[in-house]
Amino acid sequence: MNRLNLPSFEIKLSGTPEKPKIFDILRRKYVTLTPEEWVRQHFVHYLIEHKGYPMALLANEVELKAGDKRLRCDSILYNKVVQPRMIIEYKAPTVVLTQRVFDQISAYNLLLHVDYLVVSNGMQHYCCKMDYDHQKYLFLEDIPDYQNI
């Protein structure tokens, strides 16, 4: 897998060379190691180990329902009363973060109405703070520490 623009962590792998798996600490199981999953695992560890995000308030692969449609958020940060605060969307390192990616995460936010949107391909990371009163968003220079959100 590619080296990412994220800190390393103690990676736990299993499976076979043809079908590798990586341990997901949030789902507490081994999952198929895809380029997107490689980014997710690095990013989740970054949030927990370097930004102080409580593991108990993070969830991976969260299903949403919009009428007959089923959507899947890559990761969600909840507050202490289990309301969504942040949506995180991951892409493989080779995927360019275009407007289409931001449109995708914005569609999830129509359902969840969170304070922060984060997009990462492991090389580039974008974080927006939502301002619903003025119907706009502000791009932040960095992912905020948990204590600052």
Side-chain angles (χ1 to χ4, degrees), residues 23-139:
F23 189 73
D24 181 332
I25 59 170
L26 300 183
R27 291 179 274 181
R28 296 185 186 105
K29 66 179 184 177
Y30 283 91
V31 296
T32 302
L33 178 56
T34 62
E36 183 179 307
E37 193 63 47
W38 184 247
V39 172
R40 181 196 331 263
Q41 294 308 315
H42 275 78
F43 205 90
V44 165
H45 280 268
Y46 167 67
L47 291 176
I48 294 167
E49 296 167 15
H50 298 272
K51 293 292 186 173
Y53 286 58
M55 188 168 81
L57 298 181
L58 288 162
N60 284 337
E61 296 284 325
V62 178
E63 186 175 287
L64 305 175
K65 294 179 184 175
D68 292 341
K69 287 181 104 174
R70 291 179 186 262
L71 307 171
R72 179 195 47 82
C73 287
D74 288 336
S75 295
I76 294 180
L77 170 72
Y78 295 93
N79 64 17
K80 292 178 181 173
V81 292
V82 198
Q83 295 170 322
R85 293 281 322 273
M86 177 184 285
I87 302 170
I88 310 163
E89 179 65 26
Y90 310 107
K91 297 298 178 191
T94 57
V95 175
V96 177
L97 300 178
T98 63
Q99 184 62 47
R100 186 173 178 185
V101 177
F102 288 93
D103 292 345
Q104 179 183 3
I105 197 170
S106 295
Y108 301 154
N109 198 36
L110 290 173
L111 298 171
L112 297 178
H113 206 75
V114 299
D115 298 322
Y116 296 90
L117 300 178
V118 176
V119 173
S120 177
N121 65 3
M123 304 307 289
Q124 295 178 297
H125 325 292
Y126 295 98
C127 181
C128 300
K129 180 168 181 16
M130 305 303 296
D131 180 351
Y132 294 104
D133 292 336
H134 299 99
Q135 297 183 358
K136 63 181 184 175
Y137 51 87
L138 172 68
F139 277 96

